[in-house]
Amino acid sequence: MNIAIFCIYTAVALAGIIFFSLREFHMLQLNGYKTPEHSWWMKKNYKRYILPLVLFSLQFLMLITGAAIPVLIGFTAFNLCFSIANKPGKKFKKPLKYTARVKRMMITFFVITAIIFALAIFFGMQRCKCMNWKPFDEPLPFILVNSALYLTPLLVPLSNIINKPVEKSVQKWYINDAKRILSEMPDLHKVGITGSYGKTSMKFYLSELISSQYETLKTPESFNTPMGVTITIRQHLKPTHEYFICEMGARRVREIKELCDIAHPHDGIITSVGPQHLETFGSVDNVLNTKFELADSVQEAGGRIYLNGDNELIRSRAPKYKGAILYGTTVGCHYRATDISVSDKGTEFTLTAPGGENCRFTMKLLGEHSVQNVVGAIAYAHGTGIPLEKLVLPVKRIAAVPHRLQLLDKGSDLTFIDDAYNSNPSGCRAALNVLGLFDACKILVTPGMVELGAKQEELNFEFGQEAAAVCDFIALVGKNQTVPIYNGIKDAGYDMNRVYVADSLGEALEKVRSYQTDKKKIVLLENDLPDNY
């Protein structure tokens, strides 16, 4: 009888382990496979692990004190319910990708699980003559199986740690292969783009302009990590390409240098420096130093570095780099935009080049802040030898980058401004300015900003104050996450009857659609937190 119960108990636990581990592998992947970040994330989301810990402790105590068959049957039923509760089924914005790395980790994880199960069977089959045990009569086998189930959140990152030497070797091979491919294309011109924000937009804008004259490859989507850049080079770079635009992201000091050591960019563009990823960077100074690792690399290579002259932190560091080219809207920029005209239809400006040449540009992009990145793209394209007048049409063709102030018309009474990929103070402020351009019922839907370290509460509070000055209605997503925004809105003297706090984005949008207004509704979707928030 005990053997049958153990088999059923183990089968149920195994189902729970599979379901539970898939969730943990997904979170580990979203945290970039970095064990320290994942550990911090687990600590921050400790509530999701309280129930497994309580169940493990309760069952451990009851098993060790001697569990009768009815109790074991009850535990089996309980574990079955836990397994069903953790069954994959939720639709994620960014689902688990079964990459080769994930598959290797899964193999290691299930080897660890198999060892635990083997020990359970081994100890369960032992007989002690002096105590006259029967197979699986003692609690240890059940405790071991229980451990494999409820300690899955620890075993998943453990498999990642065990695989670390293997992963380093695999990554090194791929990176070296990418370097080999680049070395075989000496005429390929490489440009690196980094910044706390704006780098993806700059990459798309620059690609639009450069590709009007040259065969150009850019890193796709948000492929801005070492492996993302490596994959782009190995899978997409062709001998016919003349320019390679490489977006470079970082969450820690020296990560931009790591990317420069792979791509070896001839030129670089730094779009911004600000309070982004402070939980991993620690300070804005560390952010500044990391972004300028690109400038250091370019200077060593004898290339050109283009800097956003409107950003105070960047401007303060610029004098250290001989020949640095500033772009923006402020006095002193080598490429400067003036006479800026902004409406809900688009933006116009006059650009003055270093030689005094002027040219009027028109674009569909919304907001004065968009001018910065477009001017930077024009500056670089002009530096490659493309005349300003030949850039007028490509600039006019530039479309909004998906999820970055992208205008989505949903009919005669509703339009969305999709800014879901923005999660920084400057971007949020710019998005509110764009929302303010419209003669309409202005609505904000947001979960707020994250990864801002000790300043997160303060900056979200300020965001709430700024939103109160622009919006007719505000829908906040997440009761706990949005408390600082709510307090900022309230502090601004806003009518709190016009504020709605929803549990999910779907609920918030349903509320937005229910608002009755004489004007067309313009809904700003500001930031969309990843699945691990």
Side-chain angles (χ1 to χ4, degrees), residues 43-189:
K43 183 179 179 181
K44 188 175 181 180
N45 293 273
Y46 70 92
K47 290 182 180 178
R48 66 189 289 158
Y49 299 110
I50 291 177
L51 179 59
L53 182 61
V54 169
L55 291 175
F56 172 72
S57 302
L58 178 64
Q59 294 191 30
F60 176 82
L61 290 172
M62 294 188 73
L63 284 168
I64 205 168
T65 54
I69 288 177
V71 175
L72 291 173
I73 294 173
F75 284 167
T76 303
F78 217 88
N79 290 347
L80 179 63
C81 293
F82 179 79
S83 302
I84 294 172
N86 284 281
K87 181 181 178 182
K90 176 185 173 183
K91 289 185 178 180
F92 292 101
K93 288 166 278 190
K94 192 175 181 181
L96 174 64
K97 293 182 180 178
Y98 290 90
T99 62
R101 179 169 185 168
V102 168
K103 291 174 183 176
R104 287 191 292 268
M105 276 198 296
M106 285 182 169
I107 290 171
T108 303
F109 170 78
F110 283 110
V111 166
I112 296 171
T113 303
I115 291 171
I116 295 173
F117 278 24
L119 289 172
I121 294 170
F122 174 77
F123 288 115
M125 294 301 294
Q126 295 299 300
R127 295 168 181 262
C128 183
K129 293 180 180 179
C130 61
M131 298 185 68
N132 194 29
W133 279 346
K134 294 179 180 179
F136 303 102
D137 199 32
E138 69 276 14
L140 185 56
F142 294 92
I143 291 172
L144 286 170
V145 171
N146 222 31
S147 300
L149 172 60
Y150 291 110
L151 297 184
T152 291
L154 299 179
L155 297 180
V156 167
L158 176 62
S159 67
N160 186 41
I161 293 171
I162 292 172
N163 281 16
K164 193 171 182 179
V166 174
E167 296 306 327
K168 277 192 171 182
S169 297
V170 171
Q171 288 181 12
K172 187 176 180 180
W173 189 91
Y174 284 126
I175 288 172
N176 286 339
D177 191 51
K179 288 181 178 180
R180 176 191 61 78
I181 293 170
L182 290 176
S183 68
E184 293 174 354
M185 299 181 62
D187 295 331
L188 177 70
H189 206 91

Side-chain angles (χ1 to χ4, degrees), residues 406-460:
Q406 183 182 20
L407 208 60
L408 303 173
D409 201 329
K410 297 297 180 179
S412 59
D413 66 335
L414 182 63
T415 294
F416 286 109
I417 302 174
D418 183 357
D419 202 37
Y421 280 8
N422 240 328
S423 59
N424 61 83
S426 178
C428 289
R429 192 173 299 114
L432 288 173
N433 289 338
V434 169
L435 182 64
L437 295 173
F438 291 84
D439 180 18
C441 177
K442 297 176 277 289
I443 303 171
L444 170 67
V445 177
T446 184
M449 299 174 285
V450 296
E451 297 185 352
L452 296 174
K455 290 192 172 185
Q456 184 163 306
E457 185 171 344
E458 174 192 342
L459 292 171
N460 275 301

Side-chain angles (χ1 to χ4, degrees), residues 14-28:
L14 182 59
I17 288 168
I18 293 171
F19 296 155
F20 204 5
S21 66
L22 286 176
R23 188 181 75 175
E24 295 305 307
F25 277 117
H26 187 200
M27 296 302 109
L28 182 62

Side-chain angles (χ1 to χ4, degrees), residues 2 13 111 118 185-186 197 284 317 326 385 393 462:
N2 283 1
V111 166
M185 299 181 62
Y197 39 87
V284 175
R317 184 67 65 91
L326 299 180
L393 187 58
E462 292 174 1

